[in-house]
């Protein structure tokens, strides 16, 4: 767990609070350099936060979007994380394609696709948005999977238990090197896993992201 105390907010405020957190973190980076990088996750929790983010006034032309993970499906597929981010953020903000570095889930050679993405990633990501599954996975790093122990590669192609199984993911060293990481969790179904993660159960991939600020709704916090 992060040294920072978890933030617990009412369910109706979670998306806005998360967006504002990301907005502040981007502004902090942009105060020090010309461009900032923001890496985004998929799943059901982030979409409302991305919509809120798209309403924030920021120098968006100086922000580059990256991905935390992607499913090996075409970019217009409903399971594509790019598709989610396109609809909720890229489209509404009319970001230029030159600012959006998507993981190429349509590639047949998954290993080559992961290596190519690794080459495009900045040395250090400025802002990273993560989610946690009920099994404690984060990004596409699943409990007990060898990819979780990866120390040298920054991006891997993996086969996970969550459908669709073929995925590309940032690895733990990449997440741990990032400047600002938000772990966003919602819903009573995550309550038990949240408790284990707060207890630093290192079997849970999400608990290993020790640089993350946790933000959850009252249901996930069991309040
Ligand atoms: O593409 C993905 O599957 C994600 O990046 C994944 O790591 C997600 O963040 C968690 O599974 C939580 O997802 P939910 O918000 O849907 O519970």
């Amino acid at each position: 767990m992060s040294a920072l105390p978890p933030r617990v907010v009412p369910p109706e405020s979670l998306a806005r609070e998360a967006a504002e957190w990301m907005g502040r973190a981007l502004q902090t980076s942009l105060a020090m350099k010309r461009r900032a990088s923001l890496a985004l996750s998929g799943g059901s929790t982030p979409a409302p936060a991305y919509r809120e983010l798209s309403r924030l006034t920021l120098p968006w032309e100086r922000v580059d979007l990256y991905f935390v993970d992607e499913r090996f499906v075409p970019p217009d597929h409903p399971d594509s994380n790019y598709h989610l981010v396109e609809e909720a953020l890229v489209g509404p903000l009319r970001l230029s394609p030159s600012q959006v570095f998507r993981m190429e889930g349509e590639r047949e050679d998954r290993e080559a696709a992961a290596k190519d993405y690794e080459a495009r990633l900045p040395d250090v990501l400025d802002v990273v948005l993560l989610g946690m599954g009920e099994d404690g996975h984060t990004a596409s790093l699943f409990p007990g999977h060898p990819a979780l122990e990866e120390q040298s590669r920054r991006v891997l192609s993996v086969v996970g238990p969550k459908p669709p199984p073929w995925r590309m993911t940032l690895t733990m060293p990449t997440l741990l090197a990032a400047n600002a990481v938000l772990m966003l969790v919602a819903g009573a179904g995550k309550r038990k896993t949240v408790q284990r993660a707060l207890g630093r159960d290192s079997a849970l991939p999400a608990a290993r992201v020790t640089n993350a600020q946790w933000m959850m709704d009252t249901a996930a916090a069991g309040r």
Side-chain angles (χ1 to χ4, degrees):
M1 279 302 298
S2 158
L4 302 166
R7 290 186 57 183
V8 180
V9 301
E12 64 276 14
S13 314
L14 188 69
R16 189 173 37 81
E17 293 274 349
E20 287 175 359
W21 191 96
M22 287 187 275
R24 282 193 300 274
L26 285 169
Q27 293 281 25
T28 301
S29 292
L30 289 169
M32 294 183 288
K33 54 190 195 171
R34 207 174 58 80
R35 303 196 69 77
S37 53
L38 170 63
L40 298 174
S41 288
S44 54
T45 313
Y50 298 160
R51 281 187 214 102
E52 291 287 343
L53 190 59
S54 76
R55 297 186 187 117
L56 294 188
T57 304
L58 285 170
W60 283 109
E61 69 287 356
R62 293 168 58 202
V63 176
D64 293 317
L65 284 193
Y66 291 85
F67 285 78
V68 164
D69 65 347
E70 182 56 283
R71 296 93 182 269
F72 273 98
V73 294
D76 57 354
H77 192 281
D79 286 334
S80 158
N81 287 348
Y82 172 77
H83 181 64
L84 167 76
V85 171
E86 218 288 322
E87 292 222 311
L89 196 63
V90 174
L93 284 171
R94 300 185 185 190
L95 296 182
S96 148
S98 65
Q99 296 173 260
V100 183
F101 297 82
R102 68 176 183 86
M103 290 175 159
E104 294 172 337
E106 71 280 23
R107 298 262 298 265
E108 280 187 17
D109 188 338
R110 295 186 291 270
E111 182 54 23
K115 285 205 165 127
D116 288 350
Y117 202 69
E118 196 163 59
R120 300 172 80 195
L121 264 189
D123 289 343
V124 173
L125 288 162
D126 291 306
V127 186
V128 176
L129 188 276
L130 294 175
M132 180 184 75
E134 287 183 29
D135 62 354
H137 81 264
T138 193
S140 285
L141 297 168
F142 293 90
H145 193 290
L148 183 56
E149 310 302 334
E150 178 64 35
Q151 291 304 318
S152 50
R153 293 283 306 277
R154 302 176 69 218
V155 182
L156 280 181
S157 131
V158 297
V159 189
K162 181 182 176 183
W166 296 100
R167 286 151 177 262
M168 195 189 307
T169 184
L170 302 185
T171 59
M172 203 52 82
T174 313
L175 302 178
L176 289 171
N179 285 328
V181 181
L182 185 65
M183 182 72 71
L184 185 66
V185 186
K190 307 263 174 85
R191 189 175 54 81
K192 286 194 178 131
T193 318
V194 164
Q195 286 313 312
R196 283 177 61 200
L198 294 175
R200 302 180 187 217
D201 181 345
S202 64
L204 304 181
R208 296 196 190 191
V209 191
T210 48
N211 53 338
Q213 165 71 62
W214 284 63
M215 184 183 288
M216 63 194 80
D217 66 4
T218 42
R223 293 190 191 162

